[in-house]
Amino acid sequence: MSRTLISGGTVVNATGTCLADVLVDGETIAAIVAPGSGVAEAIGRRGVDRVINASGKYVIPGGVDAHTHMEMPFAGTTASDTFETGTRAAAWGGTTTIIDFAVQTAGQNPLTQYELWQRKADGNCAIDYGFHQILSDVQDSSLDAMDELIREGVTSFKFFMAYKGVFLSDDGQILRGMQRAADNGALIMMHAENGSVIDVLVQQAIQRGDTAPYYHGTSRPWQAEEEATHRAIMLADLTGAPLYIVHVSAKQAVEQIAAARDRGQNVFAETCPQYLYLSLEEHLGAPGFDGAKWVCSTPLRARAEGHQEHMWQGLRTNDLQVVSTDHCPFCMTGQKEMGLGDFSKIPNGMGTVEHRMDLLYQGVVLGKISLPRWVELCSTTPARMFGLYGRKGVLQPGADADIVVYDPNGHTSIGLGKTHHMNMDHSSWEGFEINGHVDTVISRGKVVVDDGIYHGKPGHGSYLRRGLSQYLI
Ligand code: DUC
Ligand code: ZN
Ligand code: ZN
């Protein structure tokens, strides 16, 4: 079993920062001690295999990205990152855990689908991974499958209020899923957009000849997100189920979430980097077909309406608790271009799994969030929300040694051929300049990235059997 000493860094947890040395023994953290106390030196004399000098750097718990879609079938194609390429890219960016989605569409058996997703990931992941289960048509057997899946460590279930005929569950089906979750302790995740309204607006836009990517945004207006968010909150209230709204992009949806939380409801929510930085006008509205790179749902919102600043505010005030990526990449060639002349045929999604830690760190640089809050949003709360805390999301003795050494004085230029290891033919973040750099990434005691060199391998990542959300117990 190899021993690594990370010396002289500033250890950052969600609770605060301190100067400390971190000793890794095998796959876990053995000790966190004050530098100069002699403890590290004593341990050192007994032999460490490697010393990492973290002086002047932050030592943080590895990132937990609770919302990714590797190899996801969507709109007649499949997300371009496999579990192998996507988890490798995640590792490059300082994320050491992903929670992906096993997908059940109408007529399929959720348990069979879960096993299928296990086979896709097994032996391929560079970092640890877990699963949520997507449920669409809710049969009696699906409700029983929820109980069975919880025993397998799948403790959260995602429903869609959009994408009729593919993923959409109607309100009655969602209600039944929530009733079961209220009984069995599962967390309900919701894609909250009014799909029926969107389908009409999309059809009308295409008929008008408004076929460019920009109109993907205008046909999924904030009212459709606010309404669905409110409806999901009401259904959750009716049933007593805990609710987690995914990829929030509209400020009005944040207001609904904040109001529910103020009433005492167990409602939680995430946003994603794209809703903090990118916009309808500049990105979806890019010349020609370029906007297709940023077609995702919920859509990028108008900067003039102030959504982006409101997301930052929500992250600061805890109206929003988590930042995930909704990583669902598609190449322009052969995939996004399926929607040339008809935006509704562009596969929805963009690739961000590699850049989440860097992009959110800019919030610290810009004074929008504190250093511990960065760690809380990107690692600690997702771990607690999805039943992994203690093992993941914190640097403490006994925790998995998932550790990132982050250099605040380093620099990262994002883009194709620079810091981009996702399986895409473009970058949705081309040209972003990051103050900060992921220097070293350790996954369960193994150095997977160090000084610009990748040392990981497929199959190092293990399946995480998750417990119930630690926000509920
Ligand atoms: N949104 C996306 O952008 N892609 C995949 C599914 C989703 O809800
Ligand atoms: Zn979604
Ligand atoms: Zn998603």
Side-chain angles (χ1 to χ4, degrees):
M1 288 252 268
S2 95
R3 286 150 68 98
T4 302
L5 185 68
I6 305 168
S7 71
T10 299
V11 170
V12 186
N13 272 313
T15 46
T17 66
C18 64
L19 277 178
D21 295 339
V22 179
L23 179 71
V24 173
D25 194 356
E27 296 197 346
T28 56
I29 295 173
I32 300 180
V33 295
S37 63
V39 176
E41 289 73 11
I43 293 165
R45 276 198 295 278
R46 294 212 315 274
V48 288
D49 303 282
R50 176 181 201 140
V51 177
I52 296 171
N53 179 3
S55 134
K57 300 181 183 171
Y58 299 135
V59 182
I60 63 171
V64 177
D65 191 340
H67 188 157
T68 66
H69 300 282
M70 308 304 172
E71 304 180 35
M72 187 195 189
F74 191 97
T77 186
T78 304
S80 57
D81 262 321
T82 61
F83 280 91
E84 180 177 342
T85 64
T87 56
R88 184 168 61 216
W92 270 106
T95 286
T96 50
T97 299
I98 61 161
I99 313 179
D100 208 272
F101 291 82
V103 179
Q104 183 253 345
T105 53
Q108 295 176 327
N109 178 331
L111 293 175
T112 313
Q113 292 304 107
Y114 162 70
E115 283 157 15
L116 178 61
W117 253 261
Q118 279 286 10
R119 286 198 294 279
K120 289 178 197 236
D122 186 33
N124 292 319
C125 293
I127 54 167
D128 290 353
Y129 61 97
F131 287 114
H132 316 282
Q133 177 76 47
I134 288 173
L135 295 175
S136 56
D137 62 334
V138 178
Q139 313 291 339
D140 290 344
S141 57
S142 322
L143 300 176
D144 294 339
M146 287 172 76
D147 296 348
E148 176 65 26
L149 285 163
I150 287 174
R151 289 191 281 276
E152 291 291 319
V154 178
T155 54
S156 38
F157 296 86
K158 182 180 178 189
F159 291 86
F160 285 79
M161 301 171 98
Y163 300 122
K164 203 182 288 180
V166 190
F167 299 123
L168 181 140
S169 301
D170 66 29
D171 292 351
Q173 291 170 327
I174 290 170
L175 188 84
R176 294 187 76 207
M178 287 181 167
Q179 286 170 334
R180 184 59 70 109
D183 281 348
N184 64 21
L187 180 61
I188 296 295
M189 304 172 79
M190 192 62 69
H191 178 124
E193 286 187 295
N194 185 321
S196 307
V197 162
I198 288 167
D199 289 347
V200 171
L201 294 176
V202 166
Q203 206 182 16
Q204 289 173 344
I206 300 292
Q207 272 164 5
R208 273 198 311 273
D210 291 339
T211 60
Y214 177 82
Y215 299 102
H216 168 81
T218 55
S219 60
R220 304 181 89 94
W222 60 260
Q223 290 90 340
E225 185 181 343
E226 180 181 11
E227 185 280 326
T229 303
H230 177 73
R231 187 158 31 104
I233 289 169
M234 289 297 108
L235 296 175
D237 197 33
L238 189 60
T239 57
L243 176 66
Y244 176 97
I245 311 278
V246 297
H247 50 51
V248 174
S249 64
K251 65 180 179 188
Q252 295 82 357
V254 178
E255 283 159 7
Q256 293 292 338
I257 291 158
R261 289 171 61 78
D262 288 349
R263 288 194 300 269
Q265 216 180 316
N266 270 328
V267 174
F268 310 97
E270 66 177 23
T271 190
C272 311
Q274 50 271 37
Y275 307 122
L276 296 167
Y277 290 105
L278 311 180
S279 74
L280 171 72
E281 302 95 321
E282 299 147 279
H283 298 90
L284 275 174
F289 189 63
D290 232 33
K293 291 174 184 168
W294 298 284
V295 165
C296 58
S297 296
T298 57
L300 304 184
R301 300 285 174 202
R303 197 177 294 283
E305 292 172 357
H307 301 280
Q308 291 80 2
E309 274 315 305
H310 207 86
M311 295 302 130
W312 281 113
Q313 181 183 308
L315 292 177
R316 204 178 64 247
T317 60
N318 209 38
D319 289 339
L320 300 169
Q321 300 81 40
V322 171
V323 176
S324 306
T325 56
D326 197 10
H327 178 79
C328 191
F330 297 99
C331 291
M332 286 294 267
T333 303
Q335 295 197 298
K336 292 280 187 182
E337 70 182 16
M338 286 159 48
L340 267 169
D342 180 350
F343 70 81
S344 71
K345 297 196 165 54
I346 301 171
N348 288 197
M350 49 183 282
T352 309
V353 77
E354 188 167 350
H355 306 313
R356 184 183 61 125
M357 301 302 285
D358 276 334
L359 288 166
L360 258 289
Y361 180 67
Q362 300 319 286
V364 179
V365 173
L366 296 167
K368 292 176 187 290
I369 54 172
S370 70
L371 197 54
R373 184 66 176 159
W374 171 49
V375 167
E376 188 169 33
L377 292 166
C378 292
S379 182
T380 311
T381 301
R384 284 185 74 190
M385 190 67 67
F386 296 105
L388 293 170
Y389 183 78
R391 236 187 116 174
K392 308 294 186 189
V394 60
L395 297 182
Q396 65 181 13
D400 281 359
D402 287 6
I403 304 172
V404 176
V405 178
Y406 196 85
D407 182 0
N409 298 310
H411 188 86
T412 306
S413 297
I414 299 184
L416 205 53
K418 294 178 201 152
T419 58
H420 176 344
H421 303 85
M422 299 174 283
N423 187 31
M424 298 170 69
D425 61 1
H426 64 281
S427 167
S428 320
W429 299 95
E430 187 73 48
F432 271 68
E433 297 292 334
I434 300 295
N435 289 310
H437 187 261
V438 173
D439 277 8
T440 306
V441 181
I442 300 176
S443 164
R444 281 193 354 270
K446 164 122 183 44
V447 173
V448 289
V449 175
D450 189 39
D451 204 14
I453 298 173
Y454 184 72
H455 301 279
K457 65 170 178 16
H460 165 77
S462 298
Y463 173 64
L464 295 165
R465 203 176 278 271
R466 296 182 292 115
L468 298 179
S469 172
Q470 289 148 305
Y471 272 91
L472 305 172
I473 49 180

